Amino acid sequence: MYNIILNPMSGEGKKKKLHKRALARFSERGAEFCVFETEKPGQAILLARELCREEGDIVVIGGDGTLHETLNGITDFEHHALGLVPAGTGNDFAAAAKIPSEPEKAVDLILDSQPKYTEFMQMPGGVRGINLVGTGIDVEILKRCRSSKILRGKFQYIISLIISLCKFKNYRLKARYNGKEGEYNALIACVGNGYRIGGGVPMCPAAKLGDGLLDMVIVDDVKKLSVPPAFIKLMKGKILKEKFTVFERCEHVEIQPEKPLTLQVDGELYDGLPFVVDIVKDTLKFYRN
């Protein structure tokens, strides 16, 4: 039995053909399933919580935001695995989990394989993340994207990134990890379980699911003249090679900003949430390659 949480507005409502193809594949394969559509933000949390009282694995047909909500609603990891049919704008965690973009192949992966233990990130207040947690320029980019009424998708993110790089002022913060402590004037500080954000920007290019570790990346004290070449290196997945990049693999990270900052967790914005991240292993069973 598969309980499907479907976000009809995933991909800004432009993915309805993918939704139909995914559901048709479940039917073609003779799978038993029920569909529960979300109608408003936050509803996937409530649906996942309710579905944990029922039998069957939980499958998300949607994007990173719906997956984030569903993960935060699961109350019984022992009896419920999680699957994903990517149908969002960015589908960043799907890329990390090597889930096919074609809905039929994504459904076949769920029906023909066994779920694997997959790490996720635990934060204060019960907040969970599965892809990336960050603060700094990534938050400014997301805010700029959401205020734009013209551009959409990955192109929107890239344009917002370029504008933000030109205007952004670094934040002072402290970071504690692996028994070390450092002070930084950061352009961005992020912790990755997955490796990319914004529909394909490799912010944590070395992150791999299944390694049992988080990738912490801090881009520290970048001068204005260094921004253009740094942007090129970022897009090529080579940001870790820059001298101003701090990179560490760890199980626990604490980042304390000088001033209160907004965090993004899987692309969702949180105010007042402490930037404290722990990795959780051998708990979540997830259908992935």
Side-chain angles (χ1 to χ4, degrees):
M1 178 66 181
Y2 299 94
N3 291 310
I4 298 172
I5 297 177
L6 186 151
N7 180 1
M9 294 308 297
S10 63
E12 296 169 342
K14 298 178 181 179
K15 305 287 187 177
K16 291 185 178 180
K17 289 183 179 179
L18 297 183
H19 302 165
K20 292 180 180 179
R21 287 169 58 187
L23 296 177
R25 190 64 167 183
F26 275 108
S27 296
E28 290 169 8
R29 295 290 308 274
E32 184 180 356
F33 66 94
C34 290
V35 180
F36 303 85
E37 289 194 9
T38 61
E39 298 176 349
K40 57 185 178 181
Q43 190 173 3
I45 297 175
L46 302 177
L47 284 172
R49 197 172 294 160
E50 293 173 3
L51 292 174
C52 280
R53 301 189 185 102
E54 308 294 333
E55 291 185 0
D57 291 340
I58 299 172
V59 176
V60 171
I61 299 180
D64 294 310
T66 309
L67 178 63
H68 172 77
E69 288 188 8
T70 301
L71 174 64
N72 277 272
I74 294 177
T75 57
D76 183 355
F77 289 101
E78 182 179 356
H79 299 102
H80 300 275
L82 182 58
L84 173 65
V85 177
T89 301
N91 299 318
D92 290 308
F93 187 73
K98 298 180 180 179
I99 298 172
S101 58
E102 298 88 342
E104 293 84 2
K105 292 182 179 180
V107 172
D108 288 344
L109 173 64
I110 293 169
L111 298 180
D112 295 333
S113 67
Q114 294 296 316
K116 300 176 181 178
Y117 279 119
T118 301
E119 304 95 335
F120 64 89
M121 298 173 286
Q122 184 66 59
M123 301 184 71
V127 176
R128 300 168 183 149
I130 198 165
N131 190 48
L132 273 96
V133 178
T135 193
I137 196 169
D138 54 341
V139 171
E140 295 299 318
I141 294 166
L142 285 171
K143 289 180 177 179
R144 203 176 296 277
C145 284
R146 292 177 185 182
S147 65
S148 173
K149 298 181 180 180
I150 302 174
L151 302 174
R152 291 291 181 268
K154 184 179 178 181
F155 184 67
Q156 178 197 48
Y157 191 92
I158 297 298
I159 296 300
S160 297
L161 171 59
I162 293 171
I163 295 171
S164 297
L165 283 170
C166 295
K167 295 186 175 182
F168 185 78
K169 295 182 180 179
N170 293 351
Y171 286 131
R172 297 202 61 81
L173 52 83
K174 293 181 180 179
R176 300 181 183 89
Y177 51 90
N178 292 340
K180 306 173 186 177
E181 182 173 316
E183 294 188 9
Y184 306 100
N185 190 32
L187 179 71
I188 186 172
C190 65
V191 177
N193 187 36
Y195 70 92
R196 74 183 213 188
I197 56 177
V201 179
M203 197 65 240
C204 297
K208 293 182 180 179
L209 297 180
D211 65 0
L213 294 169
L214 301 170
D215 281 31
M216 185 197 75
V217 176
I218 298 176
V219 178
D220 181 41
D221 203 22
V222 182
K223 307 303 180 186
K224 284 288 184 182
L225 292 177
S226 299
V227 168
F231 172 73
I232 294 171
K233 290 286 182 69
L234 171 64
M235 297 307 296
K236 290 184 176 181
K238 297 180 179 180
I239 195 67
L240 301 185
K241 297 181 180 180
E242 294 298 309
K243 293 181 179 179
F244 48 67
T245 300
V246 179
F247 169 57
E248 192 93 7
R249 285 198 168 100
C250 44
E251 295 185 348
H252 174 83
V253 181
E254 296 181 25
I255 293 177
Q256 183 178 357
E258 186 176 68
K259 299 178 181 179
L261 296 176
T262 301
L263 299 188
Q264 68 85 9
V265 185
D266 301 337
E268 302 302 308
L269 299 178
Y270 288 83
D271 289 314
L273 178 65
F275 199 155
V276 179
V277 187
D278 287 283
I279 193 165
V280 179
K281 298 177 280 188
D282 301 327
T283 300
L284 170 66
K285 290 172 282 188
F286 194 95
Y287 290 97
R288 61 180 175 88
N289 281 311

